[in-house]
Amino acid sequence: MARKIRFSTQSGGQPTGEEWLARAKRLEAIGYETLSMPDHMVGGAWSNMPALGAAAAVTTKLRLGNLVLDNDFRNPVVLAREFATLDVISNGRVEIGLGAGWFDRDYQSMGIPFDRGRVRVARLAEAVTLLKRLFTEDDVTFEGTYYRTTKSECRPKTVQQPRPPILIAAGGPEMLELAGREAEIVAVVPPGAGVRGPAPDDVTASGVRRQLDIVRKGAGSRFDEIELSCFLDVTLTDDRDRTIADLSEKTKVDPAVLGSSVYRGIGTLDEVREHILRVGRETGITYFCLRGPHAEELAPVVKELSGT
């Protein structure tokens, strides 16, 4: 199915509450579809739910999301109620972003085990099953490997029916298959993101297409119903080559990798616009999370490509 391009941006907070609310209103006016928040226990990011609830109160169209919540930090029975409440407060503007966790320092700060990736993925799969049931059933009894509950209820009932859409961020094969099987939105990330540097082909359009083949296998006949997404770290500059060289020196990443990366938009507004269109043509991705200090300066691109 043909989809229109839409945009989110990721923000972990602002210097003050007043500035947070003002920025949410500006992002809505620019034409961003969604304000998404990261979820880390270290690094200074704000807590998602109160911040998104406050943003809901000062906006009318802006959707409220996560890129992404770490499943291991919250019991899904508690989380379902928090999302349901946010969906009611916002009149149906929630996107539920979930991941299996990857940053060991988060786990150290909480004093909880950082289990093997396979275990974290299996736990997320179980949590997604439980969340879906909590949103759509009056009471839920569940007996899994990681979660058990008896006659749990989720109140209030969500405005979005049968429930808010679920976004799963995925890079490795097990996560990609899970995302294809369970998510309405799949956010593709480089394999090993946050753990190791990408291999040159991991971040190219051909590398992303290989990942999407795994999503397609997990999704089966529902693949065309899935919205495909990725983050795009944007650096606006009039000298693309020089900026790539500087970034390469700073990040210790091969300039050829930076220059060919799906996940990097480097250049003028026109060059970033063309990058987005090219990624869309070559991968089928239509939902872009624009990150970095230039999110508001990208207003002309956001307005044009999203049709706002």
Side-chain angles (χ1 to χ4, degrees), residues 74-97:
R74 299 163 186 85
N75 183 287
V77 177
V78 177
L79 186 60
R81 184 177 66 169
E82 292 185 354
F83 272 125
T85 301
L86 182 60
D87 199 56
V88 169
I89 288 172
S90 66
N91 194 29
R93 290 185 278 143
V94 166
E95 288 180 2
I96 300 172

Side-chain angles (χ1 to χ4, degrees), residues 188-209:
V188 180
V189 300
V195 178
R196 59 173 174 81
D201 195 46
D202 284 347
V203 297
T204 63
S206 61
V208 170
R209 288 195 296 269

Side-chain angles (χ1 to χ4, degrees), residues 84-265:
T85 301
L86 182 60
D87 199 56
V88 169
I89 288 172
S90 66
N91 194 29
R93 290 185 278 143
V94 166
E95 288 180 2
I96 300 172
L98 299 172
W102 61 270
F103 191 29
D104 56 356
R105 281 282 291 110
D106 283 333
Y107 288 76
Q108 292 166 10
S109 74
M110 294 184 67
I112 61 175
F114 185 54
D115 291 324
R116 294 174 59 191
R118 186 170 299 175
V119 173
R120 287 181 278 119
V121 173
R123 190 156 48 227
L124 173 61
E126 201 169 284
V128 170
T129 297
L130 182 51
L131 282 167
K132 288 183 175 182
R133 289 189 58 191
L134 286 162
F135 287 131
T136 56
E137 299 177 23
D138 289 334
D139 63 77
V140 175
T141 296
F142 183 87
E143 185 74 21
T145 302
Y146 305 101
Y147 302 107
R148 298 170 184 81
T149 184
T150 303
K151 294 186 176 180
S152 292
E153 298 179 359
C154 179
R155 300 288 189 278
K157 287 301 180 184
T158 59
V159 172
Q160 296 179 89
Q161 288 295 314
R163 56 175 174 77
I166 293 175
L167 175 154
I168 294 178
E174 291 181 351
M175 278 293 292
L176 290 162
E177 193 278 333
L178 169 63
R181 190 172 71 243
E182 299 288 355
E184 284 72 47
I185 307 167
V186 176
V188 180
V189 300
V195 178
R196 59 173 174 81
D201 195 46
D202 284 347
V203 297
T204 63
S206 61
V208 170
R209 288 195 296 269
R210 285 196 300 273
Q211 290 177 295
L212 293 178
D213 285 342
I214 301 173
V215 174
R216 183 179 285 105
K217 182 179 178 181
S221 61
R222 64 180 289 272
F223 178 76
D224 287 342
E225 301 171 16
I226 295 174
E227 186 173 28
L228 304 177
S229 179
C230 74
F231 67 80
L232 183 63
D233 287 325
V234 177
T235 303
L236 290 180
T237 174
D238 291 328
D239 190 342
R240 187 172 189 271
D241 291 340
R242 178 70 261 173
T243 300
I244 289 174
D246 291 343
L247 284 171
S248 174
E249 184 175 350
K250 180 180 180 180
T251 62
K252 309 305 180 187
V253 175
D254 187 326
V257 173
L258 290 174
S260 62
S261 175
V262 165
Y263 305 98
R264 289 276 189 174

